[in-house]
Amino acid sequence: MSEPVLRVLAAHPPGPGRREFLGRSLTALAWLGLSGCSGPSRRSLNIFNYSNYIAPDTVSRFRAQTGIAVVYDEFSSQDVLFAKLKLGAGYDLVVASDYMLRRLLRQQLLAPLDDFAHRNGMMERFRHPPWDPDLRFSVPYLWGTTGIGYNRRRVQGVPDSWNALWDPACRGHITMLDEKRDTLGASLIRLGHSGNSVNRAELEAASRALEEQKPLVKQYTNDYIDGLARNEIWLALAWSGDVARARASNPDVDYVLPREGSFVFVDSWCVPREAPHPREAIAFLNYLMQPEPLAQVTNATGFPSTLAEARQRVRADLLDNPLGYPPQDMLDRTLFQADLGPGERLWDQVWDQLKFRSGPDAPQGPS
């Protein structure tokens, strides 16, 4: 038997959903459709992506069509992605959020995508993003919003304010994301500040509010989908597509974007500057970024794609729905997460102090 042409290296224990991290190699191998053995391939591709952020058979279909072997690794957060790229981990294709893309471009860590063929099919709002106006270094892939996932049977009314996550009536049934940009950002917006603030006093006020919230919180985690579906989590700071997946198992699960505003995110494919197989990376992008493969991704993950024509193939329950393609009045209340520049260090300090401060009521660390 020859060496398998497709493998998954789980870099971290179970964690996020957009973002949901599998962590078990055998499960992930089955998820990607690996079966049997195959002869050697002279072409290969190393992908680094959030887990469950692709359709179950995307990689196997690409391999069958092109003969290119794929090594598919998964990360738990954008900070992990950045650290790996700085160390030169040898990836050919990675998924980066909008704020991280700004950082990667500023540090000249990405290669141009001159041979990518499908830029003209993008939805209008993603054709000229401020971080890469000509889409020379990135391919917008999936997008969504950050809001509140909740259980309609357990929560009184619609929790359409960030204040709901501080509700003592839900003590022990609240989760917050294990991502500093989302959790600190939500607290900042709740207090009337910008979710991208780099003002020390505002960040410390947001941290104090989260410290006061700790006795109510079950866990800081990105692994909340099953908890929502099993009625164990009543309120979650959550990503829209993840809540869509929980709702598919439990119709009592719903999602709201708080009236104070929140974040819209766009995750994009990009090729690291030192990628060993850039030609194969472009081949994968030209395969994936077409209506049928992207619609399959959206139907599997719950996250809308950036390709306009793909929407026609998406399941009906995701259209004009906060859990999929939200209406414009909702999107008008959102903003992108900006590159913090030198302020990143301040955010790290505040986050670390909040996360790892000891005490009996402190939420658990990363899953």
Side-chain angles (χ1 to χ4, degrees):
M1 291 171 59
S2 60
E3 182 180 358
V5 297
L6 178 64
R7 62 188 173 92
V8 174
L9 302 179
H12 300 277
R18 176 184 163 206
R19 305 183 120 141
E20 179 186 1
F21 192 77
L22 287 175
R24 293 187 293 275
S25 297
L26 293 178
T27 302
L29 286 169
W31 176 69
L32 286 170
L34 178 64
S35 61
C37 300
S38 177
S41 171
R42 288 178 302 208
R43 301 180 67 188
S44 62
L45 173 65
N46 305 315
I47 297 177
F48 204 27
N49 189 10
Y50 283 109
S51 157
N52 283 355
Y53 213 40
I54 203 165
D57 59 354
T58 300
V59 171
S60 59
R61 284 175 178 267
F62 168 73
R63 190 259 167 187
Q65 185 176 112
T66 65
I68 297 173
V70 177
V71 178
Y72 192 99
D73 292 4
E74 300 163 342
F75 56 78
S76 58
S77 73
Q78 290 290 292
D79 287 338
V80 171
L81 167 65
F82 181 75
K84 290 278 191 176
L85 292 185
K86 289 289 285 185
L87 290 172
Y91 292 109
D92 302 304
L93 197 57
V94 303
V95 170
S97 292
D98 35 74
Y99 76 90
M100 183 57 68
L101 261 176
R102 296 175 191 258
R103 192 175 179 187
L104 296 175
L105 287 167
R106 180 162 42 84
Q107 299 195 24
Q108 299 182 340
L109 293 175
L110 302 179
L113 307 176
D114 295 333
D115 295 325
F116 174 61
H118 302 295
R119 289 181 177 86
N120 292 336
M122 295 286 169
M123 295 170 63
E124 184 62 34
R125 67 178 295 135
F126 302 117
R127 287 186 183 179
H128 303 286
W131 51 86
D132 188 13
D134 297 322
L135 295 182
R136 187 167 181 234
F137 295 91
S138 62
V139 178
Y141 171 47
L142 300 179
W143 61 282
T145 59
T146 302
I148 298 174
Y150 68 101
N151 187 300
R152 288 187 282 110
R153 288 185 177 270
R154 305 287 184 172
V155 176
Q156 294 282 332
V158 178
D160 62 350
S161 168
W162 289 121
N163 290 326
L165 294 172
W166 275 256
D167 185 354
C170 296
R171 177 188 293 264
H173 298 281
I174 298 170
T175 60
M176 301 293 285
L177 287 168
D178 191 22
E179 290 272 0
K180 66 177 184 287
R181 294 304 303 271
D182 295 283
T183 291
L184 274 173
S187 187
L188 281 164
I189 294 171
R190 174 177 175 262
L191 296 175
H193 307 307
S194 168
N196 293 312
S197 175
V198 291
N199 179 286
R200 178 179 292 274
E202 293 176 357
L203 277 165
E204 289 179 347
S207 179
R208 285 194 299 272
L210 291 167
E211 186 70 32
E212 294 167 0
Q213 182 204 33
K214 278 184 177 182
L216 309 178
V217 175
K218 175 182 175 65
Q219 193 175 8
Y220 278 22
T221 181
N222 300 335
D223 185 12
Y224 52 86
I225 296 174
D226 287 346
L228 278 170
R230 292 194 300 260
N231 299 314
E232 297 168 1
I233 298 171
W234 302 350
L235 289 166
L237 176 61
W239 293 304
S240 53
D242 288 352
V243 180
R245 292 178 57 210
R247 183 184 173 91
S249 300
N250 183 349
D252 291 330
V253 173
D254 213 335
Y255 177 80
V256 62
L257 196 146
R259 59 177 180 266
E260 299 94 339
S262 186
F263 297 112
V264 59
F265 58 80
V266 182
D267 292 328
S268 299
W269 292 102
C270 48
V271 175
R273 185 182 58 200
E274 304 299 331
H277 310 107
R279 185 165 63 100
E280 286 72 19
I282 295 297
F284 183 83
L285 290 177
N286 284 333
Y287 164 79
L288 175 63
M289 298 302 295
Q290 299 184 69
E292 187 61 35
L294 274 185
Q296 291 172 358
V297 170
T298 294
N299 289 332
T301 66
F303 287 97
S305 79
T306 57
L307 199 63
E309 192 178 340
R311 177 171 175 153
Q312 301 171 15
R313 296 168 168 82
V314 169
R315 64 181 203 254
D317 62 293
L318 292 176
L319 300 177
D320 297 317
N321 187 324
L323 291 174
Y325 292 82
Q328 188 60 46
D329 64 324
M330 177 178 288
L331 288 176
D332 289 343
R333 303 202 304 273
T334 63
L335 73 159
F336 287 118
Q337 291 176 339
D339 176 13
L340 300 173
E344 187 83 34
R345 181 173 298 180
L346 174 59
W347 274 68
D348 286 340
Q349 292 171 354
V350 172
W351 179 247
D352 289 345
Q353 290 170 3
L354 171 70
K355 279 291 302 297
F356 301 110
R357 188 175 291 125
S358 62
D361 296 319
Q364 301 174 26
S367 301

